[in-house]
Amino acid sequence: MQKYSIFNLIKNAFSGHQKWDLAWKDATPKKEYDVVIIGGGGHGLATAYYLAKEHNITNVAIIEKGWLGGGNMGRNTTIIRSNYMHDDNALFSEFGMDLWRKMSQDLNYNVMFSPRGIINLAHSDAQMNVFARRGNSMRLNGIDAVLLNREEVKEIIPMADFSDNVRFPIFGGLMQPSAGTARHDAVAWGYARQADSMGVDIIQNCEVTGFDVVGGKIQGVRTSRGDIKVKKIGLCVAGSTNILAEKLNMTIPVETHLLQACVTEPVKPVLDSVVTFGAGHFYISQSDKGEMVMGGDLDGYNSYAQRGNLPTLQHVLTEGIAMMPFLSKLKMLRTWGGIMDMSMDGSPIIDKTHIEGLYLNCGWCYGGFKATPASGWTFAHTIAQDRVHKLNAGYSLSRFNTGHLLDEKGLGTKTWIS
Amino acid sequence: MLHIKCPHCGMRSQNEFSYGGDATVKRPELNKEVSDQDWDNFVYNRKSLRGKHLEFWQHLSGCRQWIKVERDTATHEIFKTLKANEDI
């Protein structure tokens, strides 16, 4: 594989950048693989990469119905954080933060990781107490957390509404300074390029039509481009998990819902951290291009549409304008939607299943992008070793049966309530 | 925006309704042996398929009645609405 470096950049400048190798090849499916990963999004690509890198399993195919990174990997708001209270979520995410910090070097691909910090705003004394508790839990797990008072928040985001007559005055906030953003597409491309270079076949435009399960064991997968013999399959299909689960006669504790995001026209730098509204569900950051990137609530009903409805967008942006009134002056550039695999306790599932050789990775709710490296790393471990790693032991499928829920937000089983 | 025909009030905008989830889920019967699997299926496990989906909505800013709606989860087309105690 051609290394990306300043020297290669200069060298290729002489040939007008016409002679760069392709970042990955467009593979056609072979008859047999050791492992097939279904889903060519961030998690699937990362899983294949860590299978090859950490476990030396390179006879691997990634099967993707659409195109690489075209689902939620290309639709998220690029936020990376580990500001969780529960140990399982915190330790898993913080392990991921470490992978994020090394990622550009590790992949030899600039993922533009920008640890600009995230601030969760608090709008009451009670909320400040809750955030103090969460911040303490984070620090006990070795994650940086700073409780900011109103004046300290004002230093960082003076453009927020600090006037006296607002419905939800800003009391302060909880900040994780090491959180941030990254260029989402670059993450997918970086993983794809490295996985491909180690022998992984990335097969796009290939839909899974069924599975061969004999005696409770995976024997193969049927696709629109032919049958493939394989003993181990990893399911990494986010919002399409329910569709494939049905083909396996499984019902899973996940519903598929629609989440929208949007960006404004690009403006000069104004916001240098990620900020979330504490009296509703709204989050905002500014991209390197200058667009204000925003998102919030689910549309609120089961959906596979990948495009949203205006009432929810209006609701979300009302919160945004309440928090930062200057947003009302900006023009909306684009809105889009993605389909989320909303699990029943708000935490993901990375586990084996009752079918031997079938591994499940789903339930990422609002937080799939930031989990990409840690999810890939632990899922690769689970597949290669046929046992879960201690980092994803809490993300078991059986926890819904045994009662060991990871209800970070304590919302119950109404996945559409945020 | 969705337009939902409330069986009691007629056609109204989505803004007046709140969602209540899969309407095909049945609570295990009282006074009978209920396995853990039955409870799991009632509380957690969902089919959530692409295509026709029977679901509860509540006409919260209207008559406040719960209703059933048959809707396509891919196109959002609404085929039929029913009172909560009616079967499709």
Side-chain angles (χ1 to χ4, degrees), chain A residues 79 325 343:
Chain A
I79 298 166
S343 72

Side-chain angles (χ1 to χ4, degrees), chain A residues 256 302-304 309 400-401, chain B residues 1 19 40 48 71 73 76:
Chain A
T256 298
N302 295 49
S303 176
Y304 283 88
N309 248 325
F400 297 93
N401 182 272
Chain B
M1 188 188 295
Y19 187 63
D40 284 355
S48 187
R71 185 180 58 90
T73 57
H76 296 171

Side-chain angles (χ1 to χ4, degrees), chain A residues 242-243 246 251-258 299-305 307 309-312 344 400-401 405 413-414 416, chain B residues 1-2 14-15 19-22 36-37 40-41 43-51 53 55 57 71-76:
Chain A
N242 289 97
I243 296 176
E246 197 211 13
T251 51
I252 51 171
V254 168
E255 278 186 5
T256 298
H257 282 264
L258 172 61
D299 267 38
Y301 41 81
N302 295 49
S303 176
Y304 283 88
R307 65 179 182 279
N309 248 325
L310 285 176
T312 304
M344 290 292 163
F400 297 93
N401 182 272
L405 299 185
T413 57
K414 304 285 184 284
W416 55 89
Chain B
M1 188 188 295
L2 302 182
Q14 172 194 341
N15 287 333
Y19 187 63
D22 191 335
D36 282 359
Q37 189 60 47
D40 284 355
N41 288 340
V43 180
Y44 299 118
N45 294 331
R46 296 290 178 268
K47 288 210 170 74
S48 187
L49 293 178
R50 185 185 171 94
H53 189 246
E55 58 204 19
W57 288 77
R71 185 180 58 90
D72 193 304
T73 57
T75 64
H76 296 171

Side-chain angles (χ1 to χ4, degrees), chain A residues 165-188:
Chain A
N165 295 324
V166 291
R167 172 69 183 81
F168 299 108
I170 295 169
F171 274 56
L174 181 67
M175 183 172 193
Q176 184 191 1
S178 67
T181 60
R183 171 90 173 90
H184 51 182
D185 295 324
V187 177

Side-chain angles (χ1 to χ4, degrees), chain A residues 80-83 90-103 113 115 143-144 176-180 370 373-374:
Chain A
I80 294 161
R81 61 188 174 84
S82 59
N83 53 357
L91 295 172
F92 177 88
S93 304
E94 186 57 15
F95 176 76
M97 291 302 294
D98 211 37
L99 295 175
W100 277 113
R101 287 187 272 267
K102 299 174 191 155
M103 190 181 288
F113 175 55
I143 303 165
D144 55 329
Q176 184 191 1
S178 67
K370 65 147 198 300

Side-chain angles (χ1 to χ4, degrees), chain A residues 221-243:
Chain A
V221 57
R222 292 191 288 273
T223 77
S224 58
R225 294 174 67 177
D227 296 353
I228 297 169
K229 271 177 72 177
V230 65
K231 290 277 177 2
K232 287 184 174 182
I233 293 177
L235 229 55
C236 274
V237 292
S240 301
T241 309
N242 289 97
I243 296 176

